[in-house]
Amino acid sequence: MSNTPMAASPLTRAVLEIDEYVSGLGWDQPARLFALVDTARLRAQEPSLAAQLGLGAEQETSGLTPIEQDEMGTDRPLDEFLATIAWPDAVTGCALSVERLMLPPSAEAQVPQDLDEAALAKWVAAHPGRQEVRMTVAVLRDGTRESALRLRAKDTPTEVVTGSELVPGLAEALTATFAD
């Protein structure tokens, strides 16, 4: 994950680092969930884990370290899965990387009414304007958020788009995992 460009904030760097990692695994991957922990705190409190993650003392001392969680099951919808998560205090934030099909805004008026979820997914998959996208969304406990979007059709690091409001619904669902 050393090719991640320098970014303005530790959260943006973490999102880009996760995007780069998941990109290296290729497309058609399951959703991946990450805990975000303070790198300096991790080194101080868990030096053996920090060493296992390749966080040597010579590296930057501030920032966030993404730690991938166990594989997420596909047996239930993403929103239901996220509703079951509770993070320990040592986790500063979390991130999720997930692939989806997206349509251009112009396709919104073409969507047939009264489709169930399965029929809608089939309709979107057959639409000629569809785009495969990987969304990596991260949030901190204080509500700060960041996202990275990568289109399969433009699958290069220079084409990754970042912004805090790109995937607001997913960011809100992730933020809810920190609610008491």
Side-chain angles (χ1 to χ4, degrees), residues 10 14 18 27 33 35-36 63 69 86 92 94 131 135 139 142 144 149 157:
I18 293 167
W27 285 88
L33 181 67
L36 299 176
Q69 303 303 288
T92 305
C94 66
Q131 289 277 338
M135 303 174 284
V139 300
D142 68 5
T144 305
L149 296 180

Side-chain angles (χ1 to χ4, degrees), residues 4 11 21 51 64 80 107-108 111 148 168:
T4 303
L11 187 58
Y21 164 73
L64 298 167
E80 288 180 18
E108 214 172 290
V111 178

Side-chain angles (χ1 to χ4, degrees), residues 32 55 64 89 107 111 125 145:
R32 295 179 182 280
L55 302 173
L64 298 167
D89 291 340
V111 178
R145 56 177 70 173

Side-chain angles (χ1 to χ4, degrees), residues 13-86:
R13 287 193 300 274
V15 165
L16 290 171
E17 185 176 324
I18 293 167
D19 173 75
E20 179 184 352
Y21 164 73
V22 176
S23 176
L25 301 173
W27 285 88
D28 304 317
Q29 294 292 314
R32 295 179 182 280
L33 181 67
F34 298 83
L36 299 176
V37 297
D38 179 90
T39 302
R41 183 175 175 188
L42 177 64
R43 279 195 195 109
Q45 294 179 351
E46 299 286 342
S48 61
L49 177 58
Q52 186 179 2
L53 294 172
L55 302 173
E58 72 284 352
Q59 292 178 330
E60 157 184 14
T61 57
S62 66
L64 298 167
T65 298
I67 301 174
E68 187 171 5
Q69 303 303 288
D70 291 335
E71 189 171 311
M72 296 171 42
T74 57
D75 57 337
R76 64 177 134 172
L78 185 59
D79 58 340
E80 288 180 18
F81 171 76
L82 291 176
T84 67
I85 296 175

Side-chain angles (χ1 to χ4, degrees), residues 101 103 107-108 110-127:
L101 290 177
L103 295 176
E108 214 172 290
Q110 303 169 4
V111 178
Q113 299 301 313
D114 301 325
L115 293 180
D116 64 19
E117 194 171 322
L120 179 60
K122 189 174 179 179
W123 184 84
V124 169
H127 193 282

